[in-house]
Structure formats: structure tokens, C-alpha cells
Amino acid sequence: MSKHSEKFMLEAISLSKENIKNATGGPFGAVIVKDGEIISGGSNQVTTHNDPTAHAEIEAIRAACKKLKSFSLEGCEIYTSCEPCPMCLSAIYWARIESIYFANSREDAAELNFDDEFLYREINKENHNRKIPMVQMLRDEAIKVFNDWKHKEDKIHY
């Protein structure tokens, strides 16, 4: 944990507070830090943008990637006002962020009807047991594209 961790978390919490004050979204904020400096911040914009993926962490990741001109946030930390939901946690891993600091827990969020526990349970189920049906089809056609990618010499690994 960096020596400025409390300052960064307070900024994430401030973004969440400002977001509800301005009625621009839910009570969630996040900042991304690199080399001891905040490089981006985000707040929940789900209702403002009519975008269910516009969570604070996702907004902060998008802004950081744009600023750094990279899809990789290696060397970065994220401070978020609440424990990340499964979508945000996945995005944090995909972005290669190295540390996650959070304030409120997912149990705290569930008390406000932001219940991520359902998603955590769904992820562990086999496809045929999930609430939303998942049906695999046309794999023979799609696998050809994967094979093309596998042999592509100039691909950018991510």
C-alpha cells in the first residue's frame, strides 16, 4: 500500500458522494493511480449514459487507458468506494491493474439493493444451469476464425 493510499481512497469516496449530490448516478467512485499520482477517476454513470456497464471502475479504466494510450494498466492501482462487482473485477484483471483497494463491501452494497451476490453465484454454475440460457452453436464455423488468429503473425497480444 502506498503512503498516499488514504488520500486516494478519500478521492474515490468524494467522487461517489458528488455523484449522488449531482444525481448523475449511483453512489460509486473510483480512481486509478500510477507512480503515486491519480491518472483518472470515474463515477457510476449507468443511468446518465443508459449503459449498464458504466460503473465507476469501468469509467476510470476507460479514462486511464485513453490517457496512457494503452490497453494495459500495468503498474497501476485502483481505489474504489465499494468492492468491485464481478464485471468490474474482471475488467480490472483484463486491464492488468496490480492492486485493488476498496471501502464499502459487497454486503454493504447488497443492503442498498446493489446485490452482486447473484452474479457471483451465476458465474460458478454450468452454462445449462444459469438463469439466462446459454446455447453453443456454429462452433465449426467460428473455430476457423480462431485458427486464423492463432497463425496470424502480426497480431497484437493482449
Side-chain angles (χ1 to χ4, degrees):
M1 196 166 0
S2 79
K3 64 181 182 176
H4 302 292
S5 295
E6 191 173 301
K7 175 179 83 170
F8 301 139
M9 184 59 76
L10 287 171
E11 180 61 24
I13 294 167
S14 176
L15 287 172
S16 70
K17 185 175 183 176
E18 183 177 314
N19 209 40
I20 62 170
K21 178 183 173 191
N22 296 334
T24 52
F28 305 98
V31 297
I32 295 179
V33 174
K34 184 169 186 166
D35 299 327
E37 291 186 34
I38 294 175
I39 59 168
S40 72
S43 57
N44 180 285
Q45 300 292 306
V46 170
T47 57
T48 304
H49 296 323
N50 293 318
D51 179 354
T53 68
H55 290 198
E57 297 92 337
I58 302 293
E59 294 292 303
I61 288 169
R62 289 173 178 158
C65 288
K66 187 174 183 177
K67 182 173 185 174
L68 297 177
K69 296 179 174 60
S70 175
F71 56 81
S72 174
L73 298 178
E74 289 181 62
C76 293
E77 305 171 324
I78 189 166
Y79 294 80
T80 180
S81 65
C82 188
E83 184 176 353
C85 73
M87 176 186 67
C88 293
L89 183 60
S90 297
I92 290 165
Y93 273 94
W94 285 123
R96 297 184 181 94
I97 293 173
E98 296 181 4
S99 300
I100 304 167
Y101 301 95
F102 65 94
N104 292 315
S105 70
R106 66 191 204 205
E107 293 82 12
D108 296 330
E111 288 183 25
L112 299 175
N113 294 318
F114 294 106
D115 194 356
D116 302 335
E117 203 56 43
F118 166 75
L119 295 173
Y120 281 105
R121 287 191 308 273
E122 281 291 293
I123 288 169
N124 290 322
K125 291 180 181 177
E126 293 184 30
N127 290 348
H128 65 278
N129 289 328
R130 291 187 176 151
K131 182 175 180 173
I132 298 175
M134 293 184 66
V135 179
Q136 185 177 20
M137 56 187 287
L138 297 179
R139 181 179 179 273
D140 290 342
E141 297 301 316
I143 201 70
K144 292 173 187 173
V145 178
F146 272 18
N147 285 329
D148 290 346
W149 174 259
K150 181 179 180 180
H151 297 17
K152 184 174 175 56
E153 292 185 20
D154 62 342
K155 65 185 165 221
I156 297 173
H157 293 278
Y158 61 95

